[in-house]
Amino acid sequence: MRKQILLTTGIAALIGLGGCDAQNAPKDATSSTAVTQSIALPAGINKLATVTKTEGEIVIPFNKYVLDNGLTIVLHPDNSDPLVHVDITYHVGSGREEPGKSGFAHFFEHMMFQGSENVADEQHFGLITESGGTLNGSTNTDRTNYYETVPSNQLERMLWLESDRMGFFLDAVTKEKFENQRETVKNERGQNYDNRPYGLLRERVGEALYPEGHPYSWSTIGYIEDLNRANLNDLKKFFLRWYGPNNATLTIGGDMDEAQTLAWVKKYFGGIPRGPEVNKPEYTKVTLDQDRYISMQDNVSLPLVYMAFPTVHANHPDEAPLDVLMSIMGSGKTSLLYKNMVKNGKAVQANAGHSCGEIACQFSLLALPAPGNTLTELETIIRASLDEFESRGGATDDDLERVKAGIISGMVYGLESVAGKVSQLAAYETYRSNPDGISDDIARYENITKDDVMRVYKAYIKDKHSVVMSIVPKGQPDSVVKADTWQRYERNIPETTDETSLVLRPGVSDFDRSVIPSPGKNPSIKVPDIYRVEMKNGVSVLGAVNDEVPTTTIQVSIPAGQTHEVIDKLGLASLTASMLGENTLQSSAEELSNELQKLGSNVYFGAGEKFTTLRIRTLSKNLDPTLAIAMEQLTSPKFDEADFERLKKQQIEGLKNAKKNASPMATEIFNKLVFGFDNSFSYSNNGTIATVEKLTLEDVKAFYGSNYGPANAEVIVVSDLDSAIITERLEVLNNWKGQSSPVAAVKAFPELAAGTLYFIDKPDAAQSEIRIGKRAMNYDATGEYYRADLMNYNLGGAFNSRINLNLREDKGYTYGARSFFSGNDFRGVYRAQAGVRADTTADSILQFRNEINAFRETGMTDQELAFMKSAIGQRDARAYETPNQKLSFLSEIMTYGLDKTFVDEQNAILADIGKAELNSLAAKHLKLDEMITVVVGDKAKVMESLKPMFENIVELDENGKPL
């Protein structure tokens, strides 16, 4: 999991591993700033605490209540946007599972979306999507939560939905639903673990780090054999044990009438009986008697070494100083691992982490070697870096200042959305029995001393044993750090002896639950006010005020993207952007990183198709020094040869790693076939291995000199500061000088060999990646492009679209399937895609074809038309809440020369469009005989089943060239 208040980088950037959800473990509840509230409470609801906010205080105001059945209710009224976010968190995750029954908590999360006694199969998704909302659920080691963000008039309906699956679920569970979701979970494991480079790292480390039977010794997704062994009765028992209201927290934030909300909560949840009592998990210290070296061969391009030490548990007094140690060792360019491994080119990536759960934490150090270096050498450097921390005297004043600034800024950024605030409240209540945890967190980190950090280093790391994992490319077993000293055990699966029948807890209601609550009056939605400014050097500025939080986000779009590259220098725009994050003529990259971290600010450069983007995020009080750093990086890069060689190697290794991942490979090869191998934007932003290997520092300097001027640059700003203040602060842009060059001409697109299957072999792939499509219209906010997007919504644009319901929900072939139109001002595409279980590849393609063809021939139904209009017509209620959402809105206006009234034009089109026009667009744009198919999969497993489906099959290599 990620730290809730510390941003740790991990290895996601290169190897694609995401963390589990943030969480905090429980501690004694304390009440804060209690005040009297005047609303009358419904019978059966008691008030426990109120927290208010004073000026300048970092706190989330809330009122906390409890129902007689034990359901905890936390309400955070916030009428700044016409939406509500509803979260219900159950205090059960994979850490509550029994040996041999791994994956149950996550499996159950899937099952909870399959309908309940009064909610039909798929109706949960349908009702929320139709309401203009979004929804999901997630599971980690210690909790499962379900959440939705909807227009505020839909709140009652959300409470009806959530209460029905809490209290009226089991009678709706069927064998068919059970088997379908079992297959979906298997597909999720295949896509995110088995079929992903380094995807089994955490599972293998957990097995070695924790004793057999420890609930953290298996991954949240669980083992396939345990999922196969599970039966419907097991699932029902799990529900009855853990899904009672007394083990749940209902948290609601947003635009609500609190008295009415409580009345609805009482109505819908009050008749659900308590479940069994739930005790908090007990912490047992984990120790290792020796270093455990483990290894595995994987389909990767670079080996990896990962070292994990057992430490404490979340909210233990030593957790916070261990987090500081983590930051010193391996967070960013100020860290020891960066200095000793990345800066000198010995590793392409090196990080530290301290992941925590309720009953255990682990301190980790990770590195991927640059070519020419070995895992054994990196392990030696890691251990020497730990020694260096001690020999230099431990933590410095700068270290503590950086971490503490990161805490404060992270807290503030987390307040930018209602969903973020609700998530914080729900986590604090679940793990600490007190939603008001922010002040405690700030205090515990601000009180850390240098002695604390040295103390925990000596207590948990120095001379302590760890798990050391090597992941090496297949066929290279000798490149591990050391031969394995610990072997995976044959798991001891207990005999199932509990034959007791289920004791149900039927809920009661004094109203007709089968009646879906009607939504209230649609909320009034206001598009953000915008302002325009022209700087003296011609830079255009478009801005909007967001006065809910004291933050500023700035995006500078410089016409220096892929479209300015020549085809033999692919990746140059990306490499140049990376160089701007390194040394400048005035400062080292480490000095700038140190200052930014102490400001709690982020400055990022990245290249896309048309633009290189400079992204700035800061607390508004720190805007001036943050802008000064950003402008220093933009206008006076040093272009150091050592930086160039290091970043070039990293880019090449990233490209090699991407070749091991079937999903991006399939998409890139599809783009090359559709838009041509001689158009730069057909390729990954990072170019190709062959072109990047030939790039020189002089190429970077020339690209920068030709493209990084202010001409045609665009700036968008979202801030709590008004336009006058922003204009004054942005005066620094007038010091920006430089040249710009025209976009390279788009080469003619190739003629598609429609009906052809292009196949790329990926031996041993657990899944096949499928792409079906063709070129389509360029972007047009209010033209045929927009109308075609409306047409596709029911076919493949929503979770409960025809394609996804068929391939995921009905067949269980995939974790998700979609189709969409995508375009800009010079290219457009229509594509349907999914990663599917290997043995279903041929039938998945057939199902795609059947759905696309049926939609083209018969069009949508009246019900689908109404659904699409309702869903899209109401989703603007959540479109402009956060700074990032406002930034996206401004970017669309700026990039395509729109006025903000384009939203009104779109709404008018949506209201007036009918089936005839939409079905005509389907007939025009969904012609299968104009489309190609790309599959990346295991030829040995799937080719024979594909041959009867295609007259023309072309086998390609990993670069898209014919074999």
Side-chain angles (χ1 to χ4, degrees):
M1 74 206 68
R2 292 186 299 268
K3 286 289 173 187
Q4 185 164 348
I5 58 177
L6 291 179
L7 301 179
T8 59
T9 52
I11 54 178
L14 183 59
I15 67 177
L17 285 181
C20 300
D21 287 15
Q23 64 180 49
N24 286 290
K27 70 174 187 179
D28 292 338
T30 57
S31 183
S32 152
T33 322
V35 297
T36 303
Q37 190 181 24
S38 60
I39 65 171
L41 297 180
I45 292 183
N46 295 305
K47 185 176 179 183
L48 300 180
T50 293
V51 167
T52 58
K53 179 180 179 180
T54 59
E55 187 67 27
E57 187 181 16
I58 300 176
V59 70
I60 306 171
F62 68 87
N63 293 309
K64 176 180 172 181
Y65 307 88
V66 64
L67 262 175
D68 284 347
N69 59 11
L71 177 67
T72 300
I73 307 150
V74 180
L75 301 184
H76 165 66
D78 176 356
N79 62 1
S80 57
D81 292 281
L83 57 83
V84 289
H85 183 81
V86 179
D87 176 291
I88 187 155
T89 297
Y90 295 89
H91 198 169
V92 55
S94 58
R96 303 276 198 180
E97 295 164 351
E98 303 170 16
K101 296 184 178 180
S102 66
F104 265 48
H106 173 256
F107 187 10
F108 201 84
E109 175 208 321
H110 281 252
M111 288 299 300
M112 285 281 276
F113 288 100
Q114 299 309 300
S116 49
E117 188 173 320
N118 300 289
V119 181
D121 190 15
E122 313 308 339
Q123 192 176 18
H124 199 108
F125 279 100
L127 286 173
I128 294 177
T129 305
E130 186 178 27
S131 301
T134 182
L135 72 157
N136 214 328
S138 68
T139 309
N140 64 28
T141 54
D142 304 310
R143 68 99 184 98
T144 306
N145 74 333
Y146 306 87
Y147 53 90
E148 46 267 340
T149 305
V150 294
S152 53
N153 65 318
Q154 302 288 342
L155 176 56
E156 183 184 6
R157 184 175 288 188
M158 298 308 104
L159 298 176
W160 171 74
L161 284 169
E162 289 294 355
S163 66
D164 208 65
R165 62 180 175 184
M166 176 189 280
F168 303 86
F169 173 75
L170 287 186
D171 286 345
V173 176
T174 65
K175 179 70 172 176
E176 181 182 7
K177 293 178 183 179
F178 176 84
E179 294 297 345
N180 175 274
Q181 290 309 304
R182 190 198 324 244
E183 292 306 309
T184 300
V185 173
K186 289 181 186 179
N187 282 311
E188 182 178 356
R189 180 180 169 101
Q191 182 173 312
N192 294 335
Y193 294 79
D194 301 327
N195 211 40
R196 176 173 292 182
Y198 312 99
L200 294 175
L201 168 64
R202 287 180 178 151
E203 181 172 275
R204 296 294 175 85
V205 170
E207 292 169 348
L209 186 65
Y210 300 108
E212 181 180 4
H214 189 286
Y216 288 2
S217 66
W218 53 79
S219 63
T220 303
I221 194 78
Y223 295 105
I224 289 290
E225 57 267 29
D226 290 354
L227 292 171
N228 287 337
R229 191 167 43 244
N231 60 50
L232 190 56
N233 220 40
D234 292 329
L235 188 90
K236 291 182 177 181
K237 289 179 182 178
F238 192 87
F239 175 85
L240 290 168
R241 175 65 187 90
W242 301 110
Y243 272 72
N246 50 307
N247 195 37
T249 298
L250 173 64
T251 310
I252 306 170
D255 186 13
M256 72 180 95
D257 179 305
E258 189 157 356
Q260 178 63 78
T261 300
L262 289 172
W264 284 333
V265 170
K266 171 63 188 305
K267 174 181 178 180
Y268 292 111
F269 289 89
I272 301 172
R274 295 176 69 93
E277 294 307 307
V278 177
N279 296 319
K280 294 177 180 179
E282 293 185 7
Y283 166 66
T284 303
K285 186 177 181 180
V286 176
T287 58
L288 300 174
D289 56 1
Q290 62 179 1
D291 287 330
R292 293 182 174 181
Y293 285 86
I294 61 174
S295 65
M296 66 174 289
Q297 298 180 54
D298 196 5
N299 187 23
V300 297
S301 62
L302 274 181
L304 171 152
V305 59
Y306 185 94
M307 187 180 298
F309 295 84
T311 59
V312 289
H313 61 82
N315 292 318
H316 185 284
D318 289 345
E319 180 196 12
L322 280 163
D323 287 345
V324 176
L325 177 63
M326 168 198 71
S327 177
I328 295 168
M329 291 304 305
S331 294
K333 294 179 179 178
T334 57
S335 69
L336 292 175
L337 291 186
Y338 182 86
K339 174 179 73 73
N340 295 336
M341 304 175 77
V342 179
K343 184 72 172 179
N344 57 19
K346 293 184 179 294
V348 298
Q349 192 169 337
N351 305 99
H354 188 225
S355 57
C356 279
E358 284 188 283
I359 57 174
C361 301
Q362 60 172 277
F363 190 97
S364 59
L365 304 112
L366 170 147
L368 290 86
N373 298 273
T374 68
L375 293 186
T376 301
E377 292 169 339
L378 293 194
E379 186 207 17
T380 300
I381 297 173
I382 290 173
R383 294 190 185 278
S385 299
L386 290 168
D387 293 339
E388 181 183 350
F389 166 79
E390 182 177 10
S391 64
R392 76 172 198 177
T396 66
D397 291 333
D398 259 9
D399 293 330
L400 296 182
E401 186 178 350
R402 281 197 311 270
V403 173
K404 292 172 183 180
I407 293 164
I408 301 299
S409 61
M411 292 289 186
V412 176
Y413 296 143
L415 305 180
E416 290 180 335
S417 71
V418 169
K421 290 183 282 188
V422 165
S423 296
Q424 291 265 17
L425 291 169
Y428 284 130
E429 171 58 31
T430 299
Y431 299 114
R432 303 186 187 181
S433 302
N434 175 24
D436 184 31
I438 286 182
S439 57
D440 287 346
D441 270 338
I442 292 174
R444 70 175 177 145
Y445 283 89
E446 287 194 330
N447 291 331
I448 295 170
T449 66
K450 297 177 189 178
D451 289 342
D452 290 331
V453 183
M454 181 62 78
R455 175 179 55 78
V456 298
Y457 165 76
K458 292 179 178 179
Y460 304 103
I461 309 299
K462 182 181 179 181
D463 299 328
K464 298 300 186 294
H465 297 300
S466 65
V467 172
V468 182
M469 171 138 199
S470 304
I471 296 181
V472 299
K474 289 184 177 180
Q476 299 181 24
D478 295 336
S479 59
V480 301
V481 174
K482 286 184 181 179
D484 289 6
T485 62
W486 184 86
Q487 301 296 324
R488 297 182 76 195
Y489 45 78
E490 186 73 27
R491 290 193 304 136
N492 181 27
I493 308 300
E495 290 285 335
T496 301
T497 58
D498 183 8
E499 300 297 335
T500 58
S501 59
L502 298 175
V503 179
L504 301 181
R505 299 191 306 269
V508 295
S509 303
D510 57 3
F511 62 95
D512 186 354
R513 276 192 171 267
S514 67
V515 177
I516 303 174
S518 300
K521 181 182 178 182
N522 283 351
S524 176
I525 301 167
K526 187 175 184 294
V527 174
D529 291 327
I530 62 177
Y531 58 86
R532 298 177 186 269
V533 177
E534 192 82 12
M535 306 306 294
K536 293 178 182 177
N537 60 353
V539 174
S540 298
V541 178
L542 185 64
V545 175
N546 184 74
D547 58 7
E548 296 173 36
V549 285
T551 64
T552 297
T553 305
I554 300 173
Q555 179 175 300
V556 183
S557 297
I558 307 161
Q562 278 184 299
T563 49
H564 288 76
E565 296 173 340
V566 293
I567 203 69
D568 61 346
K569 295 187 185 297
L570 295 170
L572 180 56
S574 182
L575 187 53
T576 303
S578 296
M579 287 291 289
L580 295 187
E582 297 299 323
N583 298 321
T584 70
L585 295 174
Q586 296 83 25
S587 312
S588 70
E590 292 80 8
E591 290 170 339
L592 295 174
S593 176
N594 189 40
E595 289 304 311
L596 285 170
Q597 289 182 69
K598 288 194 289 186
L599 293 167
S601 303
N602 296 297
V603 174
Y604 166 79
F605 290 88
E609 281 190 0
K610 292 183 64 176
F611 298 102
T612 287
T613 300
L614 163 59
R615 190 76 174 265
I616 301 166
R617 190 185 194 196
T618 182
L619 303 180
S620 295
K621 67 179 182 180
N622 295 330
L623 177 56
D624 286 342
T626 303
L627 269 175
I629 292 172
M631 292 306 297
E632 179 180 336
Q633 292 179 300
L634 173 63
T635 61
S636 57
K638 186 177 182 180
F639 291 131
D640 183 82
E641 182 74 39
D643 291 339
F644 170 77
E645 291 298 333
R646 171 170 41 81
L647 292 175
K648 178 179 173 178
K649 288 179 182 178
Q650 291 178 5
Q651 192 159 317
I652 290 169
E653 294 307 319
L655 288 165
K656 289 179 180 178
N657 184 69
K659 296 292 185 186
K660 303 296 183 179
N661 195 329
S663 181
M665 181 191 296
T667 298
E668 182 172 350
I669 290 175
F670 177 88
N671 287 339
K672 290 175 182 177
L673 295 168
V674 169
F675 297 118
F677 285 74
D678 53 355
N679 278 310
S680 59
F681 54 84
S682 299
Y683 296 79
S684 159
N685 287 343
N686 288 327
T688 71
I689 296 170
T691 58
V692 176
E693 285 178 337
K694 296 177 182 177
L695 295 178
T696 67
L697 183 57
E698 292 307 311
D699 291 328
V700 168
K701 291 178 179 178
F703 188 83
Y704 174 84
S706 298
N707 296 289
Y708 271 75
N712 301 313
E714 301 170 347
V715 177
I716 51 179
V717 184
V718 177
S719 175
D720 65 314
L721 305 175
D722 63 30
S723 60
I725 297 175
I726 287 294
T727 301
E728 179 184 353
R729 301 293 177 83
L730 292 181
E731 287 293 327
V732 295
L733 290 173
N734 289 321
N735 300 322
W736 179 16
K737 312 294 182 186
Q739 303 298 313
S740 296
S741 66
V743 174
V746 175
K747 306 295 193 303
F749 296 143
E751 182 177 346
L752 291 184
T756 300
L757 167 65
Y758 296 93
F759 190 91
I760 302 91
D761 187 22
K762 191 173 186 289
D764 301 322
Q767 289 194 314
S768 298
E769 288 290 338
I770 299 171
R771 305 290 184 269
I772 302 171
K774 61 171 187 171
R775 287 189 298 276
M777 301 154 289
N778 294 357
Y779 172 89
D780 182 347
T782 56
E784 189 168 332
Y785 176 91
Y786 173 70
R787 290 168 164 82
D789 189 56
L790 300 179
M791 173 270 291
N792 175 72
Y793 189 77
N794 287 293
L795 174 61
F799 179 90
N800 50 329
S801 65
R802 293 188 186 186
I803 286 174
N804 194 58
L805 289 183
N806 182 339
L807 285 160
R808 171 177 161 141
E809 298 300 295
D810 294 343
K811 301 290 192 304
Y813 289 172
T814 180
Y815 186 47
R818 295 289 189 272
S819 67
F820 53 87
F821 289 89
S822 174
N824 55 28
D825 57 354
F826 59 85
R827 61 116 185 105
V829 69
Y830 175 77
R831 190 167 77 232
Q833 66 181 53
V836 303
R837 202 174 67 237
D839 64 342
T840 70
T841 304
D843 195 48
S844 294
I845 293 172
L846 178 63
Q847 299 306 319
F848 267 120
R849 289 177 172 180
N850 289 345
E851 295 295 353
I852 293 171
N853 199 50
F855 203 81
R856 176 179 177 268
E857 290 183 351
T858 62
M860 66 176 60
T861 65
D862 291 333
Q863 183 180 3
E864 286 175 326
L865 176 65
F867 176 84
M868 180 271 293
K869 288 192 172 191
S870 178
I872 295 178
Q874 296 186 76
R875 67 185 181 188
D876 278 355
R878 54 184 178 85
Y880 313 113
E881 180 195 8
T882 68
N884 280 339
Q885 288 173 309
K886 290 182 172 73
L887 210 67
S888 178
F889 174 65
L890 296 180
S891 181
E892 190 170 6
I893 290 174
M894 180 73 90
T895 300
Y896 297 106
L898 305 172
D899 188 272
K900 74 172 187 177
T901 57
F902 85 90
V903 175
D904 298 327
E905 295 178 54
Q906 288 183 338
N907 288 334
I909 293 169
L910 178 66
D912 294 341
I913 203 163
K915 270 201 322 179
E917 181 178 356
L918 292 168
N919 291 345
S920 176
L921 289 169
K924 178 180 179 181
H925 292 290
L926 300 180
K927 297 177 181 177
L928 283 168
D929 58 5
E930 295 178 351
M931 300 184 192
I932 62 170
T933 301
V934 174
V935 173
V936 179
D938 187 340
K939 178 182 176 181
K941 292 180 182 176
V942 306
M943 181 58 81
E944 290 304 312
S945 64
L946 295 174
K947 286 180 179 178
M949 303 178 65
F950 295 91
E951 292 185 7
N952 189 25
I953 298 176
V954 179
E955 293 189 54
L956 307 176
D957 65 16
E958 62 183 14
N959 297 310
K961 297 294 186 180
L963 294 175

